[in-house]
Amino acid sequence: MVQEKMNADLKKTLDEIGFNAKKASSVLNNASAHQKNSFFDFAITAIQQDAESILDANKLDVEQATENNKDTAFVDRLALDQKRLDGICKTLEEIKLFEDPVGKVLASWDRPNGLNISRVATPLGVIGLIFESRPNVAADAGGLCLKSGNAVILRSGKDGLRSASAIVASLQKALVSCRLPKECIQIVPSESREAATMMLEGINGSIDVIVPRGGKSLVAEVEKSAKVPVFGHLEGICHVYVDQDADQEKGLSVCINAKMRRTGICGAAETILVHENIAASFVPKLISALSDLDCEIRCCKNTLAFDKRALPATEEDWSTEYLSAIVSIKSVADTMEAVKHIASFGTGHTESIISENKITQSEFTDAVDSAIVMINASTQFADGGEFGLGGEIGIATGKFHARGPVGVDQLTSFKYIVTGDGHIRG
């Protein structure tokens, strides 16, 4: 009986959040660029003024996560300090400076009968964001959705709920200050699984799109259970292919960065493919450099003998997202074998080719069907901020609507505006 009442109360709360988000979305749809931009100025001020309360809330979250034996990497993603709050404010400032995507004419043409047809960008409506331990996601998502004219409903994992709620409180102060409904940015005040389920079901049609931000299990559950469209990626099994025409020093630098800069992000390289013609010269240097950085090396049978520190790779390694200091290395006969391997084991996230041969570069970029394909660059650049998008709400690996970093432009749809002069159709 108690559980039934709790579920009923939660449903009532979520229904109210969804209803208010829908109303706020209608107001926001007609907000001017100036009004939306003023939100960012107020938001930065509010976060700076509320820094102590935000950090106090985060301290409680970190203490609880430590008591629950969360690992060091998890606690690091969760933790906030003044420097990270400054980073949140910097991201909000960057988002503010982008051109307002709403109302942008994407294309326009005249028909022989005199009709003018324009395709114009419009907001998606209400976005539901389910995320895990990073409190900064609340600010990033709030800012990106606001700029693109969308209301957002946030559902934080339990480990960061206090921190994210404190940040949302500051954002809502800013919304009130710029005379927009505070319900443009809301957070679900519950850590229960039922709250996430209700969001995946759309909260009575209130949510237009769901975005998951988190690990494999979260994204898999969202993509499996959602009854509304999803922007998401299940895993980031990213590859670097070092071609026979690579500048090997350049290749070594890129591979080390792609694997070791931050091993726990979705853009970290998990498998390095090396053309067999340079394997004997390149792989020993690669193993040595990565081993010196305490990276575990798992090699195919053709590269295993190059260094006794290497371990034999299994078939499972090629389809594993390590998210840690482990990498698999495989030699391939040519570019097409590298492409075939990526097609078999990749997840459509990010791949990079290291080559000075323009023809080979084109062959690779044409053949690889991933959201992001790089040439002579680290896969760790797979990030909305690095793309100049002012932060991202996620990386989408599907082919529906948005692909790659999901920034303000990707958070819009469009409508057609047809202008005539008394036209009638015969």
Side-chain angles (χ1 to χ4, degrees):
M1 182 67 74
V2 173
Q3 185 63 43
E4 289 179 1
K5 184 180 186 306
M6 289 175 62
N7 287 343
D9 290 343
L10 180 61
K11 184 178 186 306
K12 181 180 178 181
T13 298
L14 266 291
D15 284 346
E16 184 177 347
I17 287 174
F19 177 76
N20 289 334
K22 208 69 178 174
K23 284 203 308 180
S25 172
S26 297
V27 175
L28 193 53
N29 194 25
N30 295 308
S32 68
H34 174 77
Q35 188 177 18
K36 287 188 287 185
N37 284 342
S38 68
F39 157 80
F40 292 95
D41 295 328
F42 287 120
I44 291 168
T45 298
I47 289 172
Q48 292 170 339
Q49 291 176 343
D50 298 340
E52 185 175 355
S53 61
I54 294 171
L55 294 177
D56 285 346
N58 183 251
K59 182 179 178 182
L60 295 174
D61 282 337
V62 169
E63 288 174 353
Q64 180 176 307
T66 304
E67 290 172 4
N68 291 337
N69 297 316
K70 297 294 184 179
D71 61 42
T72 303
F74 182 97
V75 173
D76 179 65
R77 290 194 297 271
L78 174 63
L80 294 174
D81 54 22
Q82 187 58 54
K83 183 178 180 180
R84 290 188 174 182
L85 284 185
D86 291 342
I88 287 172
C89 292
K90 181 181 179 182
T91 298
L92 290 172
E93 179 64 31
E94 289 172 351
I95 296 171
K96 171 194 169 183
L97 295 176
F98 277 86
E99 182 183 355
D100 192 323
V102 180
K104 182 188 297 184
V105 178
L106 305 174
S108 181
W109 62 94
D110 294 318
R111 297 292 295 144
N113 61 5
L115 286 176
N116 174 264
I117 301 175
S118 297
R119 188 164 64 243
V120 179
T122 60
L124 292 171
V126 177
I127 294 171
L129 181 74
I130 299 176
F131 63 103
E132 291 180 338
S133 63
R134 296 188 182 187
N136 65 290
V137 171
D140 293 351
L144 287 164
C145 290
L146 196 286
K147 181 75 176 187
S148 55
N150 299 289
V152 63
I153 300 172
L154 303 164
R155 194 272 183 180
S156 169
K158 64 180 180 179
D159 300 286
L161 183 56
R162 297 184 188 91
S163 308
S165 297
I167 291 172
V168 169
S170 297
L171 300 181
Q172 289 186 331
K173 285 182 186 178
L175 287 165
V176 172
S177 296
C178 67
R179 298 183 180 180
L180 286 170
K182 65 182 180 65
E183 293 84 6
C184 289
I185 303 173
Q186 300 178 86
I187 189 165
V188 176
S190 170
E191 60 185 48
S192 76
R193 190 177 185 87
E194 287 75 15
T197 299
M198 291 178 193
M199 288 182 66
L200 295 178
E201 292 174 349
I203 314 181
N204 295 324
S206 299
I207 294 178
D208 296 288
V209 178
I210 286 283
V211 180
R213 280 284 298 265
K216 178 180 178 180
S217 59
L218 168 67
V219 179
E221 180 59 32
V222 169
E223 294 188 335
K224 175 184 175 183
S225 304
K227 296 181 180 179
V228 294
V230 175
F231 288 167
H233 74 270
L234 189 59
E235 292 178 279
I237 301 178
C238 303
H239 300 79
V240 177
Y241 166 54
V242 186
D243 177 53
Q244 65 177 342
D245 294 320
D247 177 321
Q248 292 193 30
E249 288 305 308
K250 188 183 296 182
L252 189 63
S253 175
V254 169
C255 287
I256 292 170
N257 182 267
K259 176 68 254 182
M260 297 301 295
R261 174 187 165 269
R262 290 184 65 187
T263 60
I265 65 172
C266 60
E270 307 294 15
T271 297
I272 299 172
L273 305 171
V274 182
H275 196 292
E276 63 183 14
N277 288 353
I278 63 165
S281 61
F282 182 75
V283 173
K285 291 185 288 186
L286 178 62
I287 294 175
S288 179
L290 289 172
S291 295
D292 288 346
L293 295 172
D294 295 322
C295 180
E296 181 177 310
I297 316 294
R298 300 180 184 181
C299 283
C300 71
K301 62 181 181 180
N302 294 328
T303 56
L304 185 60
F306 288 132
D307 194 302
K308 64 182 180 180
R309 288 171 289 187
L311 301 172
T314 65
E315 191 71 9
E316 184 181 358
D317 281 307
W318 311 127
S319 56
T320 298
E321 183 183 28
Y322 302 114
L323 297 175
S324 62
I326 304 172
V327 70
S328 52
I329 299 175
K330 182 179 182 180
S331 70
V332 292
D334 53 29
T335 302
M336 286 303 105
E337 186 179 338
V339 170
K340 184 178 179 180
H341 178 97
I342 291 168
S344 297
F345 300 103
T347 54
H349 194 292
T350 301
E351 329 301 343
S352 180
I353 179 173
I354 312 301
S355 179
E356 300 301 308
N357 188 315
K358 299 293 184 182
I359 295 175
T360 305
Q361 291 173 4
S362 295
E363 288 176 351
F364 185 84
T365 57
D366 289 346
V368 170
D369 189 19
S370 293
I372 303 169
V373 186
M374 298 183 171
I375 300 171
N376 293 327
S378 169
T379 58
Q380 299 252 349
F381 283 107
D383 175 271
E386 294 297 325
F387 278 34
L389 300 176
E392 67 191 29
I393 204 169
I395 301 278
T397 56
K399 299 182 182 180
F400 169 73
H401 183 76
R403 202 175 188 201
V406 181
V408 289
D409 289 325
Q410 291 72 37
L411 291 174
T412 61
S413 183
F414 57 82
K415 61 185 174 185
Y416 288 99
I417 297 177
V418 181
T419 303
D421 185 19
H423 281 63
I424 59 174
R425 184 173 178 179

